[in-house]
Amino acid sequence: MNSGVNVLSELPNRRGLMLFCPHRMEESISRISVQELWQRGIRGLILDLDNTLVPWQREELPPEVSGWLEEAKQAGLKLCILSNSVLGRRVARVAAELNAIHIRKARKPGRGGFMRALQALHTRPAQTAIIGDQMFTDILGGNRAGVYTIMVQPIHRREFIYTRFVSRPPERILLRFFRKRGHV
Ligand SMILES: [Mg+2]
């Protein structure tokens, strides 16, 4: 693919409530157009693991996900898995299978993990996208770090009990609000 099309030097800073708003939403990672990301100037991808690439606490990549990641790599995008997971083996195994960089104990939405990911990818924030299924970790952290934020629906209903009962209800309220305002 051609390079240098529409490369953004910096994304406008998001503030206040907009820090929770993804730049866009997709049903799943495989619905995202790799070519469109490239044309936006995206060169590096920060990827959430649980319920974005694999079902929660599993490590088998669904074929459409591994196919999409293969296409992204072929296009020249670099991959970094950024996981809040404390247990590292599973993250490391998935990353090895994908030939991707991985960072665990990321403490999303803290900026530290995102900064480490940007350093490892050698990309500027505006050249980088985060793809994740959670507003209060992936999207908030990504917006704070100044990267392009893409929220996907969780792969599977099964998730951490805290996520299900504490994070999802306010997430739904905010999403409805952002939709009504035409932000997503
Ligand atoms: Mg997740």
Side-chain angles (χ1 to χ4, degrees), residues 48-52 133-134 138:
D48 170 53
L49 180 64
D50 283 306
N51 264 337
T52 297
D133 72 302
Q134 285 195 55
D138 307 313

Side-chain angles (χ1 to χ4, degrees), residues 64-93:
E64 65 275 14
V65 175
S66 47
W68 189 89
L69 292 168
E70 208 40 60
E71 188 194 333
K73 280 192 288 183
Q74 297 269 317
L77 290 162
K78 285 180 283 179
L79 313 180
C80 176
I81 298 176
L82 187 67
S83 174
N84 277 358
S85 176
V86 179
L87 306 166
R89 289 283 171 87
R90 188 174 59 101
V91 187
R93 281 194 294 261

Side-chain angles (χ1 to χ4, degrees), residues 1-19:
M1 271 179 243
N2 290 331
S3 61
V5 192
N6 292 336
V7 179
L8 294 167
S9 56
E10 241 179 279
L11 292 170
N13 264 344
R14 298 208 137 177
R15 294 214 177 112
L17 214 50
M18 284 304 284
L19 279 170

Side-chain angles (χ1 to χ4, degrees), residues 3 8 12 14 22 29 32-33 35 40 49-51 60 63 67 76-77 97 115 119 131 134 157 162 174 183-184:
S3 61
L8 294 167
R14 298 208 137 177
I29 189 169
I32 302 166
S33 159
Q35 192 174 353
R40 287 192 66 90
L49 180 64
D50 283 306
N51 264 337
E60 312 83 33
L77 290 162
E97 195 184 324
M115 294 302 117
Q119 266 173 12
I131 304 174
Q134 285 195 55
R157 283 183 52 123
Y162 179 90
L174 280 168
H183 294 314
V184 283

